[in-house]
Amino acid sequence: FVWSNHIAGTVYSILSSSKFRALFPEGLIERLKTSYLEQWAKNEKLLKETETLSELFGRASEEVIFLKGAFLAERYYGNIDRRAISDIDLLIKKDRLERSDRMLKGSGYIRKSRTFPSEAAASLFTHHFEYGKNGIDLDLHWNLSSHFTFKIDYRRLWRDSRQFEFRSKSYRVLSDEYELVFQILSIFKDIELGTIKLKSFADTYMILRLAYGRMRWAAFFEQRR
């Protein structure tokens, strides 16, 4: 169950400092530890590429927000090794899509998403393009999620984004409010696609655990209308 829901490494990180560790068979603990170490190694690899991408966009003076990934793990789980990360997610402004696409391709990424019948048409009905390079997957978002009923205030999203300091470098990330909004939208999309995992609900819990007391909930639900 924990492996199929992508939380094996997270469970190990919790059990390693818990009195409940003694209740689990040692063989299971060792399997969980192996998953945790693999998770840690992959997260560090993705973080290194994230640093490279931050420098790439920074040199071009292009604005980018880093979604989920290592910074969600560090902000809400307390360490980047406590949450499984599968890819890198970037958010750019839609009018910068063509330039961002060229930048990624120029740095070695290959776009895997098909754009039928054209890039402009595809961007109306989707919210990201998928790329790959040397075993690293990257999603380039211009929307959090696309649906004709959504009216997300992107000017406010960008205005309220914040700088996150990590290992002596600064990265732009979503505010607590929009981290939660993005998480909820992602959950419904995964339910629709039949790919939902418990990890998504764990993320939601960890965001709420830290942000609940500092959120203005009446304003939050008013904005969600």
Side-chain angles (χ1 to χ4, degrees):
F1 177 81
V2 296
W3 273 275
S4 65
N5 280 278
H6 303 171
I7 56 172
T10 301
V11 169
Y12 177 80
S13 70
I14 294 170
L15 288 178
S16 62
S17 58
S18 169
K19 63 182 179 181
F20 294 107
R21 186 186 191 283
L23 301 177
F24 288 75
E26 196 58 35
L28 176 58
I29 293 293
E30 287 302 312
R31 288 182 61 206
L32 291 169
K33 182 178 181 180
T34 298
S35 293
Y36 167 79
L37 292 173
E38 292 171 351
Q39 174 174 298
W40 170 77
K42 182 172 184 179
N43 289 2
E44 289 290 341
K45 178 182 178 180
L46 291 172
L47 177 61
K48 185 175 181 180
E49 181 64 16
T50 297
E51 293 173 357
T52 301
L53 289 164
S54 179
E55 293 169 1
L56 173 69
F57 279 83
R59 286 194 303 270
S61 298
E62 290 289 339
E63 294 182 295
V64 62
I65 293 176
F66 291 90
L67 304 173
K68 299 185 178 180
F71 305 132
L72 186 149
E74 183 71 20
R75 291 168 70 191
Y76 300 108
Y77 284 75
N79 199 305
I80 70 164
D81 61 4
R82 294 180 181 174
R83 175 184 181 269
I85 305 171
S86 58
D87 58 12
I88 297 172
D89 291 271
L90 307 178
L91 177 68
I92 49 103
K93 294 178 179 178
K94 191 174 182 180
D95 63 357
R96 310 306 292 170
L97 176 57
E98 185 176 342
R99 177 167 167 76
S100 298
D101 178 78
R102 289 199 306 268
M103 288 170 55
L104 289 175
K105 290 175 179 176
S107 67
Y109 279 93
I110 297 172
R111 191 170 67 197
K112 299 190 289 183
S113 296
R114 299 181 64 183
T115 54
F116 178 83
S118 67
E119 289 185 9
S123 68
L124 295 174
F125 303 102
T126 58
H127 59 276
H128 74 276
F129 288 153
E130 297 175 356
Y131 298 78
K133 182 181 78 170
N134 299 330
I136 292 176
D137 293 322
L138 181 149
D139 289 350
L140 182 67
H141 297 251
W142 53 91
N143 288 332
L144 297 186
S145 188
S146 295
H147 195 275
F148 72 95
T149 65
F150 295 167
K151 191 179 179 183
I152 298 170
D153 187 346
Y154 284 99
R155 283 193 298 180
R156 183 166 174 267
L157 179 151
W158 281 89
R159 185 194 70 206
D160 292 351
S161 63
R162 50 166 290 196
Q163 293 297 127
F164 180 65
E165 303 295 326
F166 184 68
R167 295 183 182 175
S168 302
K169 295 184 179 181
S170 182
Y171 304 87
R172 199 170 191 174
V173 297
L174 294 174
S175 64
D176 289 338
E177 175 183 355
Y178 281 101
E179 284 285 5
L180 184 57
V181 169
F182 185 35
Q183 194 62 40
I184 292 169
L185 292 176
S186 298
I187 284 173
F188 280 111
K189 176 57 69 174
D190 288 345
I191 290 173
E192 176 186 339
L193 297 173
T195 58
I196 189 66
K197 304 294 182 184
L198 184 61
K199 175 189 169 188
S200 297
F201 293 97
D203 285 347
T204 305
Y205 169 75
M206 297 302 278
I207 294 169
L208 285 170
R209 187 175 67 99
L210 210 65
Y212 188 87
R214 59 194 187 206
M215 293 275 280
R216 296 169 56 243
W217 288 104
F220 177 89
F221 286 111
E222 182 61 29
Q223 286 290 332
R224 304 291 81 77
R225 282 184 181 276

